[in-house]
C-alpha cells in the first residue's frame, strides 16, 4: 500500500477504516481473479483511497468525510450505470446516494457477497 494511501486510511475513524479495508481486500481479490482486469493503481483521488484498473474499468473509491461522519461509502463514477445496475439487482438491501455511491453506517460490515459482483462490474466496465 502506498504511504499516502496508508495515511489516508489512518485518518479515518476505525469504525469506518476496518470495513473500508475489507472492501479494499475484496477489490484486490476480484481483480486477481479476472485476468482481463490487469494491474490496479492504488492512489488518492480527492484525498481518498481509489483503485483504477487500466484499461479495463472505472475507478472505485472508498470514502469517509467529517462532513458526514456517521457514514462511509463505495464510490464509482456518476457517468456510469453501475449504481443503477446494483440498485436493480440488490434493491433496498443496500443504501445508495443517487448514482454515485453505496452508503454504509459506521461500524456496519459491508456485505461483500453483494459487493463483489458490483466491484467486478466496475473493474471491467470499459470492456462492455
Amino acid at each position: 500500500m502506498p504511504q499516502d494511501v496508508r495515511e489516508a486510511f489512518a485518518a479515518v475513524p476505525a469504525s469506518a477504516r476496518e470495513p473500508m479495508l475489507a472492501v479494499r481486500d475484496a477489490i484486490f481479490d476480484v481483480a486477481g481473479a479476472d485476468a482481463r482486469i490487469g494491474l490496479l493503481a492504488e492512489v488518492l483521488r480527492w484525498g481518498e483511497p481509489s483503485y483504477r484498473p487500466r484499461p479495463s474499468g472505472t475507478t472505485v473509491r472508498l470514502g469517509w468525510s467529517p462532513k458526514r461522519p456517521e457514514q462511509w461509502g463505495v464510490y464509482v463514477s456518476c457517468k456510469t450505470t453501475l449504481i443503477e445496475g446494483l440498485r436493480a439487482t440488490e434493491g433496498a438491501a443496500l443504501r445508495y446516494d443517487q448514482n454515485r455511491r453505496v452508503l454504509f453506517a459506521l461500524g456496519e460490515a459491508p456485505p461483500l457477497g453483494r459487493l463483489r459482483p458490483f466491484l467486478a462490474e466496475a473493474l471491467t466496465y470499459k470492456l462492455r
Side-chain angles (χ1 to χ4, degrees), residues 8 12 25 35 42 75 89 94 104 106 109 123:
V12 171
D25 290 345
E42 184 174 26
Y75 294 76
T89 60
L94 298 172
F104 302 98
L106 287 190
L123 298 176

Side-chain angles (χ1 to χ4, degrees), residues 9 31 59 115 118 120 123:
F9 275 118
T59 299
L115 285 179
F118 169 72
L123 298 176

Side-chain angles (χ1 to χ4, degrees), residues 35-91:
R36 298 174 305 156
I37 294 171
L39 296 177
L40 289 179
E42 184 174 26
V43 298
L44 291 183
R45 294 286 183 259
W46 296 280
E48 297 173 331
S50 301
Y51 305 88
R52 175 66 192 240
R54 299 250 184 214
S56 63
T58 191
T59 299
V60 176
R61 184 167 46 100
L62 306 176
W64 171 86
S65 171
K67 293 179 184 177
R68 293 184 178 166
E70 72 287 350
Q71 64 187 19
W72 64 277
V74 178
Y75 294 76
V76 293
S77 171
C78 61
K79 295 177 183 176
T80 68
T81 58
L82 290 163
I83 296 294
E84 179 183 322
L86 184 63
R87 192 179 276 123
T89 60
E90 296 298 332

Side-chain angles (χ1 to χ4, degrees), residues 9 16-31 40 42 49 51 60-63 72-75 102 104 108-116 118-119 123:
F9 275 118
R17 180 176 53 248
E18 295 307 316
M20 287 169 63
L21 286 169
V23 174
R24 176 191 181 269
D25 290 345
I27 290 168
F28 280 101
D29 288 347
V30 166
L40 289 179
E42 184 174 26
Y51 305 88
V60 176
R61 184 167 46 100
L62 306 176
W72 64 277
V74 178
Y75 294 76
V102 183
F104 302 98
E108 179 180 354
L112 297 177
R114 288 189 158 114
L115 285 179
R116 284 178 190 276
F118 169 72
L119 296 171
L123 298 176

